[in-house]
């Protein structure tokens, strides 16, 4: 018994010594640490567990709010604590990290080039993406690929193709909906969006290959936020095996395209294959087709699902949205015309609903960049090797930027420029050189879905809650009960 007590006491003393050594080293070895308030948390794990646990609550930004609001001692239920201001230091996901909830600081970080900041991701994600992913590469190659894809995504040809494909798939799906059973919007929108994505990226049509790709992709993304262990039986190992199967299929598609390459680019793979750069090998293109599916697979379905969630809770907004879409539908029918892509994007209140959904939903919580050298921004010195978490959610829900920020209020965007890159206070798609090239397509796909949904159905939504970690999603997949409109 004495031995056990002595061992426990020794363990506690060693733990206290390590913790003090950790805090001491993290607060004195760099100039920033004397100028930025914050805590490095526990040894090795830092404040990661606290950050993650807040992500599973109804107030995921509470981790930030507890730390950022005031640089004065404040009283809470645990006693006296410090709040550190809008930019503070922490230790998250294995790295010393500067957390920015300041719109201007985040804007400068996002607009910086690879000489100052490069993307940083959790280790499991980097293992799955590989070194040649557009999400990780920098410099001329990144600018080349990003420019090619961005230009194609903005083309009227692609927007017309996406409009036709999206409308066809939506109507096919809605034809199967029954009034005596719940419709799970999250699943329905994911199924539709994946097919549009596969067609846009590599020209893949529904069939056995697409279904195989979809199954393997679900296994692949299950490991994006897993423990970084590649041992057989672990989630990361299963995800890596799924990616190998995906690469084999996509590489076959790319090589078939290479043999029959057409000067008229019909999908992203065609665009990259038509480029003359020797760096754009078949292997690099196939890898990036898969990596481009990561942000594309979730963003559109979640935008659609959250919009329906917020509209279900706001009858006034739903009524105005429905009136606007019915007016356009009637006008086009009177003219004997089908809606084209710019018709869907022409409805101002529909776009305000989408913008407000992006602000409140925060499908992308934020991004992480790693400092390649000491960088000073607004008097804050960010040391080389440290990460910076630019936290979009804190800015989007900051009452200094958006009045009553937790209230769904599409009318706040009327008569305002809704371009995602136009304001440092609204960055749902990131910013700078890595601004998401698919932002216009995301708006278009959401607009098409909402138009056909609200003009064809009335619905009652079941109670559901939003989960914010590791990705945003609805706990029950947003079940609704529909009634067809008698048009």
């Amino acid at each position: 018994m004495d031995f056990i007590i002595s061992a426990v006491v020794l363990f506690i003393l060693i733990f206290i010594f390590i913790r003090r050594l950790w805090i001491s080293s993290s607060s004195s070895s760099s100039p920033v640490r004397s100028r930025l308030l914050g805590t490095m948390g526990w040894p090795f794990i830092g404040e990661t567990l606290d950050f993650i646990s807040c992500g599973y609550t109804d107030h995921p930004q509470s981790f930030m709010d507890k730390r950022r609001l005031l640089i004065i001692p404040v009283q809470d239920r645990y006693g006296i604590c410090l709040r550190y201001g809008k930019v503070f230091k922490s230790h998250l996901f294995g790295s010393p990290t500067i957390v920015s909830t300041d719109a201007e600081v985040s804007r400068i970080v996002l607009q910086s080039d690879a000489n100052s900041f490069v993307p940083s991701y959790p280790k499991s994600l980097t293992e799955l993406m590989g070194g040649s992913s557009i999400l990780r590469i920098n410099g001329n190659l990144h600018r080349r690929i990003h420019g090619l894809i961005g230009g194609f995504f903005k083309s009227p040809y692609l927007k017309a193709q996406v409009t036709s494909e999206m409308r066809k798939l939506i109507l096919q799906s809605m034809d199967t909906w029954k009034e005596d059973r719940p419709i799970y919007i999250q699943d329905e929108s994911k199924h539709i969006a994946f097919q549009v994505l596969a067609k846009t990226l590599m020209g893949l049509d529904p069939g056995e290959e697409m279904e195989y790709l979809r199954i393997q992709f679900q296994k692949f993304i299950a490991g994006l936020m897993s423990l970084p262990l590649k041992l057989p039986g672990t989630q990361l190992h299963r995800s890596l095996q799924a990616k190998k199967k995906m690469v084999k299929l996509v590489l076959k598609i790319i090589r078939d395209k290479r043999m029959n390459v057409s000067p008229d680019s019909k999908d992203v793979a065609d665009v990259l294959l038509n480029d003359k750069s020797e760096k754009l090998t078949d292997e690099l293109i196939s890898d990036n087709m898969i990596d481009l599916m990561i942000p594309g697979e979730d963003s559109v379905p979640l935008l659609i699902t959250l919009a329906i969630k917020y509209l279900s809770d706001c009858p006034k907004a739903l009524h105005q949205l429905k009136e606007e879409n019915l007016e356009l539908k009637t006008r086009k029918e009177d003219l004997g015309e089908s809606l084209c892509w710019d018709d869907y994007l022409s409805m101002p209140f529909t776009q305000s609903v989408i913008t407000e959904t992006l602000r409140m939903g925060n499908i992308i919580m934020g991004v992480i960049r790693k400092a390649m050298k000491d960088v000073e921004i607004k008097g804050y010195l960010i040391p080389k090797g440290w990460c910076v978490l630019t936290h979009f959610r804190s800015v989007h829900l900051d009452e200094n930027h958006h009045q009553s920020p937790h209230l769904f209020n599409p009318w706040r965007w009327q008569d305002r420029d809704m371009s995602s890159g136009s304001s440092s206070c609204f960055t749902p798609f990131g910013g700078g050189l890595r601004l998401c090239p698919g932002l216009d397509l995301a708006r278009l796909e959401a607009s098409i879905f909402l138009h056909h949904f609200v003009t064809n159905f009335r619905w009652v939504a079941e109670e559901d809650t939003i989960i914010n970690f590791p990705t945003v999603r609805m706990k029950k997949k947003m079940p609704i009960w529909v009634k067809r409109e008698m048009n």
Side-chain angles (χ1 to χ4, degrees):
M1 179 63 70
D2 290 342
F3 172 77
I4 294 175
I5 293 174
S6 299
V8 170
V9 171
L10 180 61
F11 175 82
I12 292 172
L13 290 173
I14 292 173
F15 182 84
I16 292 173
F17 172 77
I18 292 174
R19 176 167 170 75
R20 287 181 175 175
L21 183 64
W22 172 266
I23 295 172
S24 174
S25 64
S26 66
S27 62
S28 61
S29 62
S30 171
V32 71
R33 294 160 194 167
S34 65
R35 300 172 65 178
L36 275 169
L37 296 176
T39 175
M40 306 303 285
W42 296 97
F44 312 116
I45 61 174
E47 296 190 291
T48 304
L49 295 182
D50 193 11
F51 180 82
I52 291 173
S53 64
C54 288
Y56 284 102
T57 70
D58 293 335
H59 301 284
Q61 69 276 15
S62 60
F63 177 89
M64 307 297 170
D65 289 346
K66 286 190 297 185
R67 291 159 174 78
R68 72 187 180 97
L69 297 181
L70 298 167
I71 313 179
I72 58 174
V74 295
Q75 181 75 37
D76 68 6
R77 59 179 175 165
Y78 302 111
I80 299 294
C81 70
L82 278 176
R83 291 183 178 175
Y84 310 122
K86 288 192 171 185
V87 182
F88 57 89
K89 66 180 181 182
S90 184
H91 194 278
L92 299 171
F93 303 108
S95 298
T97 301
I98 304 299
V99 179
S100 170
T101 66
D102 181 283
E104 182 64 15
V105 171
S106 296
R107 182 188 67 81
I108 294 171
V109 171
L110 292 173
Q111 291 185 345
S112 297
D113 60 23
N115 292 320
S116 299
F117 293 100
V118 297
S120 179
Y121 301 97
K123 189 174 180 181
S124 59
L125 193 53
T126 58
E127 289 279 359
L128 286 168
M129 287 190 298
S132 61
S133 168
I134 187 177
L135 302 177
R136 294 185 62 194
I137 58 176
N138 301 289
N140 292 333
L141 182 58
H142 172 265
R143 283 191 290 273
R144 184 64 181 164
I145 296 176
H146 192 278
L148 289 169
I149 295 172
F152 182 62
F153 279 177
K154 290 181 172 65
S155 68
Y157 166 81
L158 181 62
K159 289 177 181 177
Q161 176 182 290
V162 167
T163 298
S164 174
E165 193 73 15
M166 187 84 181
R167 181 166 51 214
K168 179 185 73 174
L169 292 168
I170 288 170
L171 295 176
Q172 286 176 353
S173 179
M174 289 181 176
D175 281 345
T176 68
W177 292 6
K178 306 296 184 183
E179 296 185 1
D180 60 348
R181 66 189 67 171
I183 307 300
Y184 295 91
I185 290 295
Q186 187 167 288
D187 286 345
E188 294 289 329
S189 56
K190 271 181 176 278
H191 183 65
I192 293 168
F194 184 85
Q195 294 179 80
V196 174
L197 183 65
K199 180 77 171 180
T200 301
L201 290 177
M202 59 194 91
L204 198 59
D205 290 314
E208 290 185 7
E209 285 187 334
M210 180 180 284
E211 182 60 17
Y212 179 81
L213 187 68
R214 187 189 67 81
I215 292 171
Q216 298 304 323
F217 184 72
Q218 292 305 315
K219 295 178 181 178
F220 167 68
I221 61 172
L224 293 182
M225 293 295 287
S226 61
L227 292 174
L229 299 174
K230 293 190 287 185
L231 299 175
T234 63
Q235 181 59 65
L236 182 57
H237 183 268
R238 290 193 293 270
S239 293
L240 286 167
Q241 294 302 113
K243 182 171 183 180
K244 287 181 181 178
K245 295 176 181 177
M246 293 170 67
V247 167
K248 185 177 180 180
L249 171 60
V250 176
L251 194 55
K252 172 183 173 295
I253 294 171
I254 297 301
R255 286 173 176 165
D256 288 345
K257 280 179 168 288
R258 178 79 76 179
M259 294 176 64
N260 303 284
V261 65
S262 168
D264 298 322
S265 298
K266 298 181 179 180
D267 51 58
V268 173
D270 287 342
V271 171
L272 298 181
L273 285 167
N274 280 324
D275 188 74
K276 303 306 180 185
S277 173
E278 295 180 357
K279 293 183 178 179
L280 297 182
T281 63
D282 292 354
E283 289 75 16
L284 183 144
I285 293 172
S286 61
D287 275 346
N288 275 284
M289 291 302 98
I290 296 170
D291 291 339
L292 283 168
M293 294 169 71
I294 297 173
E297 193 267 348
D298 252 355
S299 56
V300 171
L302 287 171
L303 175 55
I304 291 168
T305 303
L306 290 173
I308 293 173
K309 159 70 174 170
Y310 295 139
L311 288 168
S312 301
D313 296 336
C314 186
K316 182 182 177 183
L318 175 57
H319 175 76
Q320 186 167 335
L321 178 80
K322 194 162 192 167
E323 289 294 307
E324 181 178 67
N325 280 267
L326 282 171
E327 190 278 329
L328 177 63
K329 180 181 181 181
T330 301
R331 176 156 44 89
K332 298 295 285 189
E333 287 177 347
D334 290 344
L335 294 171
E337 299 175 355
S338 298
L339 275 70
C340 56
W341 64 266
D342 53 354
D343 288 322
Y344 290 107
L345 296 174
S346 69
M347 294 177 282
F349 189 72
T350 300
Q351 295 310 305
S352 293
V353 166
I354 292 172
T355 301
E356 182 69 346
T357 300
L358 289 167
R359 184 193 68 81
M360 282 193 64
N362 293 290
I363 296 166
I364 302 174
M365 173 245 344
V367 298
I368 301 175
R369 297 286 186 261
K370 184 176 181 179
M372 301 305 291
K373 60 183 179 181
D374 287 355
V375 181
E376 186 167 344
I377 302 175
K378 287 184 66 175
Y380 300 114
L381 182 60
I382 301 170
K384 177 181 178 180
W386 279 49
C387 289
V388 180
L389 168 59
T390 59
H391 198 250
F392 302 155
R393 178 183 284 125
S394 291
V395 177
H396 293 164
L397 299 177
D398 188 336
E399 61 185 9
N400 293 314
H401 302 308
H402 307 283
Q403 187 177 11
S404 302
H406 295 279
L407 178 67
F408 181 72
N409 177 16
W411 298 274
R412 75 171 80 239
W413 299 101
Q414 290 183 332
D415 303 320
R416 290 175 62 179
D417 182 358
M418 292 182 292
S419 170
S420 65
S422 65
S423 170
S424 60
C425 300
F426 180 63
T427 53
F429 295 100
L433 297 174
R434 294 182 179 272
L435 178 68
C436 176
L439 61 94
D440 291 334
L441 289 183
R443 280 188 176 276
L444 175 59
E445 291 182 49
S447 300
I448 297 170
F449 191 101
L450 289 174
H451 172 81
H452 292 283
F453 182 54
V454 302
T455 57
N456 285 287
F457 295 95
R458 290 173 287 122
W459 75 90
V460 175
E462 290 187 12
E463 196 70 31
D464 203 354
T465 55
I466 300 173
I467 296 174
N468 290 278
F469 194 88
T471 58
V472 177
R473 64 197 186 281
M474 301 303 298
K475 185 176 183 179
K476 299 179 182 177
K477 303 181 181 180
M478 194 61 207
I480 63 171
W481 297 79
V482 299
K483 291 284 186 183
R484 294 184 186 276
E485 294 282 17
M486 302 300 293
N487 295 329

